[in-house]
Amino acid sequence: MKRRIATWENGHSAPDDFYGPLLCEAYDLSAAELGLNHEGERDTGLLDAGYPASPEGAIEAVSQLWRADLNRYEPLLQAEPSEPAWSEASLRWLVAPEPAVPRQRQSGMRVGLGDVAAIKTTADMFADLDDRFGGDHARRSAIQYLSTEVTPLLRGQYNEQVGRALFSTVAEATLLAGWMSYDACRHGLAQRYFLQALRLAQDANDRRLAGSILSAMSHQATFLGRYTQGATLARAALMGISPVATPTLRAQFHAMEARALARTGDVRACEAALSAATKALESRNNDDEPEWINYFDEAELAAEAAHCFRDVNSARQAVAHAENAMSGSHVRSDFFATMVLADAHLRAGDVEEACRVALDALDLGEQLKSARCVSYLAEFRRNLAAASSSADVQTFTEQVREHRLWIASGDHVAV
């Protein structure tokens, strides 16, 4: 390692994609500050949030994203999401011709289904860490794995069967990278991961996964206040997978539509979407569902409904649904549901209960590294300050003053 650094400092070569990120970590500086940015990162359109035109374009684009992310390319890390990019990608996916077959390559390492299984197992491990500890806990490690281990596989030799499986699995892993980046509130970066995941899923002919990626885009759009776009993306997901839709997928997409509609204030349409979600979920058979959607159960739907009723100011209904939203197995989801419950109690005028529930949420989320969790707390904190200055509030703020997430939420409110 010392020899490599000396060689770099003497101007003979630049650190590669493995050592570059390590140097960024060691010096706590960005790649630009260390002079490590690869020329391609400046001119390849990383900031354009484009939808690749071919499988080869998708491989190149996602590989560049992973590398630039690892090297802390600040224009990318600080990029804003592009609303036109959501529309373009969903439309191009909806009207796409028959999926292009990943070509049979004649160079690079030979790739088999065992390699695909290894990616899947590793991505599942990172998904579990994301669920338990938040997107900022192991995000860079996940990107390091994708850049170092998966890029050579995408550029390797594989037949059509392996290529389809490879693209589908990498699309799922890239979707996870998008969710982790979204949870870290790196929104422009998250959107770009979602876009590349959608293109990979298209080439894998995995329409169910592609629909789930559009649903993730809908979730992000609603979070960012693009409510009409959020509803449109959820509807595109429903339309695009209609021939192969499963009950759980339909339920999840209807729930995302409801979340967006609630924010627009369209109560009737929101309730209709929630009713459709409930009806769909009642008919599910887990044996027929993709394994990656099995997490979406009655508790998850109750959490989505609680968000909706909170946002349309139906506090009592929000409380009722939030109380049924605790899974006991998904830490971050349970944190969100608990905070929605606290906010619903606050809106119903029950300040004491709101404070008690928020304290439970803080204890539950102590291990989470999630900017989204901080944003939920910051919203509750603002509402609490506006609602009351009672002894209950004073006692609560004294109890939580040392909680890491509460401290971070104060910084968020100040900003």
Side-chain angles (χ1 to χ4, degrees), residues 93-341:
W93 174 70
L94 283 169
V95 302
E98 285 298 312
V101 178
R103 70 183 186 186
Q104 298 187 19
R105 295 172 175 270
Q106 304 303 315
S107 61
M109 64 187 301
R110 191 174 299 278
V111 182
L113 293 177
D115 299 301
V116 176
I119 298 172
K120 172 64 176 170
T121 300
T122 306
D124 286 346
M125 177 197 71
F126 282 118
D128 181 61
L129 292 173
D130 172 53
D131 183 47
R132 293 172 58 193
F133 302 110
D136 253 341
H137 173 70
R139 197 188 76 82
R140 283 182 58 79
S141 296
I143 302 302
Q144 176 77 69
Y145 170 75
L146 291 170
S147 183
T148 304
E149 302 296 332
V150 176
T151 296
L153 296 175
L154 287 172
R155 293 173 174 165
Q157 300 180 55
Y158 40 81
N159 59 30
E160 179 180 347
Q161 178 194 13
V162 172
R164 296 278 194 217
L166 177 64
F167 273 49
S168 180
T169 302
V170 176
E172 188 179 342
T174 305
L175 171 60
L176 173 61
W179 275 115
M180 296 174 89
S181 300
Y182 168 23
D183 198 49
C185 287
R186 299 285 190 183
H187 289 297
L189 177 61
Q191 182 193 49
R192 285 153 180 78
Y193 281 135
F194 290 149
L195 293 172
Q196 304 312 319
L198 182 64
R199 176 68 218 207
L200 291 166
Q202 175 185 322
D203 293 318
N205 198 24
D206 193 337
R207 295 198 71 79
R208 290 173 175 175
L209 179 58
S212 188
I213 295 163
L214 284 178
S215 180
M217 293 180 184
S218 170
H219 197 295
Q220 184 190 30
T222 298
F223 182 83
L224 293 173
R226 275 77 159 193
Y227 308 131
T228 300
Q229 189 72 57
T232 299
L233 286 162
R235 290 166 183 156
L238 280 163
M239 179 186 299
I241 73 162
S242 180
V244 295
T246 65
T248 304
L249 286 170
R250 287 199 304 273
Q252 209 262 349
F253 301 166
H254 280 302
M256 289 301 98
E257 181 186 12
R259 285 281 297 271
L261 292 169
R263 286 290 194 173
T264 70
D266 192 339
V267 178
R268 181 176 297 180
C270 171
E271 290 180 343
L274 282 177
S275 178
T278 301
K279 184 177 179 180
L281 197 62
E282 287 172 349
S283 65
R284 81 184 186 283
N285 179 347
N286 284 340
D287 292 339
D288 298 330
E289 301 285 347
E291 58 86 18
W292 41 260
I293 197 61
N294 283 338
Y295 78 93
F296 194 85
D297 55 13
E298 288 81 2
E300 284 288 327
L301 181 55
E304 302 298 349
H307 278 84
C308 291
F309 287 115
R310 179 202 62 178
D311 293 338
V312 298
N313 293 316
S314 295
R316 295 301 178 190
Q317 285 181 283
V319 168
H321 285 283
E323 287 176 341
N324 294 321
M326 309 304 163
S327 68
S329 57
H330 299 291
V331 177
R332 184 178 48 208
S333 294
D334 285 351
F335 174 89
F336 289 142
T338 307
M339 284 308 307
V340 170
L341 178 59

Side-chain angles (χ1 to χ4, degrees), residues 3-15:
R3 185 179 298 113
R4 287 178 178 270
I5 292 175
T7 301
W8 163 59
E9 289 178 337
N10 289 330
H12 297 301
S13 64

